[in-house]
């Protein structure tokens, strides 16, 4: 029978009722207690590993699930730490902390909780702070921040505002080039700013081409400026050599991208005789055994088959059969290159390129009056498009089959 606990206020007096020497009167335990201790089983020493094996044997599913959960938690923590240091902290290392803080808030209202007014306000504050703290207004960081504002405007479909921002960036950079670009010691900055201007110009052409703006003349002007600037700078370096401190100019892929953008613009205006040489130049600047080369060869074949250049004095125009034959050669070459590319180099461009090239070969056969070959190519293109989920390819193949008579 258990006795009630002694109240706290009585404990000191209660303890004093027991003489202290009674606890130490005998050093030996009573015989009955010794007997109980001898009968009590001694604890077995077991290692952590053995205990883990025992628990796993008794509860294999629960232990596996717990282990998986722990590993996922640890992995999540490590990944979160990597993301934080790489993208949250690392992205802003080149900015003073007050500026970085404003930019973090701006990006939060751009990418996480979309609130354009707050985002623009924080971008503006960041740019003003950067100017007050002496950051170069033509550094990659500040130009990039302004481009990010334009990207936000595009994201919320404010295309004209995006154009206005980029036009200001382009104009400011052009003024810098005119005033400081040729100064001694600015060679590297000149290369960097000029490259930014080319990229901004190509993006402006893209925005001018949006159906809600549809200013194709402005788009063409921006693309022509970009291509001419790229080629002039490349030629200057070839003729004069690279000056000390200038650094590397745009890569072949970047130059090819500008050429391809202008070629696509001309193709959209049915100026295929202008598009074809640009596609050919762009193709010469990239790796021939790549999926993007498959796309460029297809585009080139289309432009060759459809071009009708204005007559040139003293130069006889190419015949239609000759143009179609050249186009077929490029389409077949794109198929052979795509077939030779395997993963991981192979991507969606290769698969779509195969379907498009096959369809184009059907159209070329149709132009030559070979309806049997055209029908075979269209059926093959339809099957390829279905297999890769290329809906546009399926629709175009069905249209082709309807023209040549699917059941005949």
């Amino acid at each position: 029978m258990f006795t009630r606990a002694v109240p706290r206020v009585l404990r000191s007096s209660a303890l004093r009722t027991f003489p202290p020497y009674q606890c130490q009167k005998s050093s030996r335990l009573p015989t009955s207690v010794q007997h109980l201790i001898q009968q009590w089983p001694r604890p077995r020493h077991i290692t952590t590993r053995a205990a883990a094996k025992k628990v796993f044997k008794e509860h294999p599913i629960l232990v596996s699930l717990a282990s998986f959960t722990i590993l996922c938690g640890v992995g999540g923590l490590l990944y979160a730490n990597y993301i934080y240091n790489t993208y949250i902290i690392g992205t802003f290392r080149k900015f003073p902390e007050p500026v970085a803080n404003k930019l973090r808030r701006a990006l939060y209202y751009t990418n996480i909780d979309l609130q354009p007014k707050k985002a623009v306000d924080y971008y503006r504050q960041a740019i003003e702070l950067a100017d007050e703290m002496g950051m170069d207004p033509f550094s990659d960081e500040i130009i990039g921040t302004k481009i990010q504002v334009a990207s936000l405007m595009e994201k919320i479909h404010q295309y004209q505002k995006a154009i206005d921002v980029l036009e200001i960036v382009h104009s400011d950079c052009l003024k810098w080039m005119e005033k400081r670009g040729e100064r001694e010691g600015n060679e590297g900055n000149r290369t960097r700013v000029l490259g930014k201007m080319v990229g901004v110009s190509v993006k402006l052409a893209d925005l001018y081409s949006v159906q809600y703006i549809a200013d194709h003349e402005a788009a063409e002007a921006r693309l022509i400026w970009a291509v001419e600037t790229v080629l002039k700078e490349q030629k200057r370096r070839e003729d004069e050599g690279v000056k000390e401190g200038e650094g590397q100019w745009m890569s072949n892929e970047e130059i090819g991208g500008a050429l391809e953008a202008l070629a696509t613009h001309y193709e959209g205006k049915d100026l295929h005789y202008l598009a074809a040489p640009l596609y050919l130049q762009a193709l010469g600047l990239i790796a021939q055994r790549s999926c993007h080369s498959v796309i460029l060869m297809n585009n080139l074949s289309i432009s060759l088959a459809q071009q009708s250049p204005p007559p040139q004095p003293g130069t006889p125009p190419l015949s239609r059969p000759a143009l179609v034959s050249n186009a077929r050669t490029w389409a077949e070459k794109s198929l052979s290159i795509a077939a030779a590319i395997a993963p991981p180099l192979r991507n969606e461009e290769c698969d779509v390129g195969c379907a498009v090239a096959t369809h184009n070969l059907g159209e070329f056969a149709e132009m030559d009056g070979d309806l049997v070959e055209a029908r075979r190519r269209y059926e093959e293109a339809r099957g390829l498009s279905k297999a890769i989920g290329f809906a546009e390819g399926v629709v175009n193949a069905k249209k082709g089959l309807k023209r040549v008579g699917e059941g005949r």
Side-chain angles (χ1 to χ4, degrees):
M1 179 169 150
F2 293 100
T3 58
R4 294 173 61 189
V6 181
R8 183 176 297 179
V9 293
L10 299 177
R11 281 182 184 172
S12 59
S13 60
L15 286 173
R16 283 198 294 271
T17 61
F18 296 96
Y21 66 87
Q22 289 184 1
C23 294
Q24 301 175 357
K25 188 173 182 180
S26 174
S27 60
R28 292 190 61 187
L29 292 171
T31 306
S32 58
V33 176
Q34 290 182 7
H35 177 71
L36 286 172
I37 292 175
Q38 290 173 359
Q39 295 293 324
W40 196 267
R42 295 185 178 181
R44 295 177 59 189
H45 294 288
I46 182 169
T47 64
T48 303
R49 184 176 181 182
K53 286 183 177 180
K54 181 181 179 182
V55 173
F56 180 78
K57 187 175 181 181
E58 293 175 354
H59 309 284
I61 297 177
L62 290 176
V63 171
S64 299
L65 184 60
S67 301
F68 177 75
T69 304
I70 292 169
L71 288 174
C72 286
V74 172
L77 286 173
L78 292 174
Y79 182 70
N81 184 61
Y82 168 77
I83 292 294
Y84 181 77
N85 283 284
T86 303
Y87 297 101
I88 305 301
I89 301 298
T91 304
F92 304 104
R93 280 178 182 161
K94 293 185 178 180
F95 292 94
E97 185 53 33
V99 179
N101 187 46
K102 298 295 183 183
L103 286 175
R104 290 189 190 101
R105 291 175 180 269
L107 288 177
Y108 175 81
Y109 289 118
T110 299
N111 300 325
I112 308 299
D113 180 16
L114 183 60
Q115 297 189 44
K117 288 184 179 179
K118 287 187 176 182
V120 170
D121 188 48
Y122 280 118
Y123 282 126
R124 179 185 56 77
Q125 291 179 38
I127 292 171
E128 289 175 354
L129 267 175
D131 187 55
E132 291 174 7
M133 301 184 76
M135 286 191 72
D136 181 2
F138 296 95
S139 65
D140 287 343
E141 291 75 30
I142 300 303
I143 293 177
T145 300
K146 294 175 182 178
I147 291 173
Q148 183 63 35
V149 175
S151 178
L152 171 62
M153 294 298 102
E154 183 184 8
K155 185 176 183 178
I156 60 175
H157 308 299
Q158 296 291 327
Y159 299 108
Q160 187 57 55
K161 290 183 178 179
I163 288 171
D164 293 341
V165 172
L166 292 182
E167 286 287 6
I168 291 171
V169 172
H170 191 275
S171 176
D172 289 346
C173 288
L174 187 60
K175 290 175 183 176
W176 184 93
M177 289 290 295
E178 292 170 351
K179 292 180 180 179
R180 303 182 184 179
E182 301 301 325
R183 289 183 184 179
E184 187 176 352
N186 269 349
E187 292 82 3
N189 287 331
R190 178 186 175 278
T191 299
R192 181 177 52 77
V193 172
L194 191 59
K196 289 288 184 185
M197 291 175 68
V198 170
V200 167
S201 193
V202 172
K203 183 58 184 177
L204 277 168
D206 183 46
L207 290 171
Y208 278 124
S209 300
V210 172
Q211 60 177 338
Y212 304 106
I213 304 296
D215 190 344
H216 299 296
E217 290 185 3
E220 183 174 334
R222 283 300 174 205
L223 286 172
I224 290 174
W225 184 92
V227 169
E228 287 180 348
T229 300
V230 165
L231 297 180
K232 282 180 182 177
E233 178 64 14
Q234 190 177 32
K235 188 175 188 308
R236 183 194 68 78
R237 288 175 171 236
E238 290 173 355
D239 294 344
E240 301 176 7
V242 180
K243 297 178 182 178
E244 185 178 355
E246 278 190 325
Q248 187 177 1
W249 180 226
M250 296 173 67
S251 66
N252 286 344
E253 288 77 11
E254 291 170 330
I255 296 173
L259 295 169
E260 184 182 355
L262 182 57
T264 303
H265 175 80
Y266 283 141
E267 187 179 24
K269 295 178 68 175
D270 287 331
L271 299 174
H272 298 284
Y273 71 97
L274 295 176
L278 290 168
Y279 280 132
L280 189 60
Q281 279 185 282
L283 185 60
L285 291 170
I286 67 170
Q288 294 300 298
R289 299 288 175 179
S290 67
C291 286
H292 194 62
S293 69
V294 174
I295 299 295
L296 285 176
M297 288 178 188
N298 271 315
N299 294 341
L300 176 58
S301 70
I302 293 169
S303 292
L304 287 171
Q306 297 184 71
Q307 66 176 288
S308 53
Q312 297 289 334
T315 305
L318 287 173
S319 65
R320 174 60 52 189
L323 290 170
V324 173
S325 177
N326 289 339
R328 183 183 294 107
T329 300
W330 281 107
E332 289 172 345
K333 186 175 182 180
S334 72
L335 281 176
S336 64
I337 288 177
I341 300 175
L345 296 178
R346 188 181 183 89
N347 56 32
E348 187 181 4
E349 280 191 317
C350 275
D351 297 331
V352 172
C354 283
V356 173
T358 304
H359 179 92
N360 289 343
L361 287 170
E363 290 200 357
F364 301 153
E366 189 178 350
M367 290 177 184
D368 288 339
D370 189 349
L371 300 186
V372 174
E373 174 65 10
R375 190 180 308 115
R376 185 181 74 82
R377 290 293 189 179
Y378 288 142
E379 288 173 351
E380 186 180 353
R382 181 174 62 179
L384 287 171
S385 297
K386 280 184 178 180
I388 63 174
F390 181 36
E392 185 182 354
V394 174
V395 172
N396 289 334
K398 286 181 178 179
K399 289 179 180 178
L401 285 168
K402 187 176 181 180
R403 285 196 308 269
V404 300
E406 186 169 6
R408 286 185 287 174

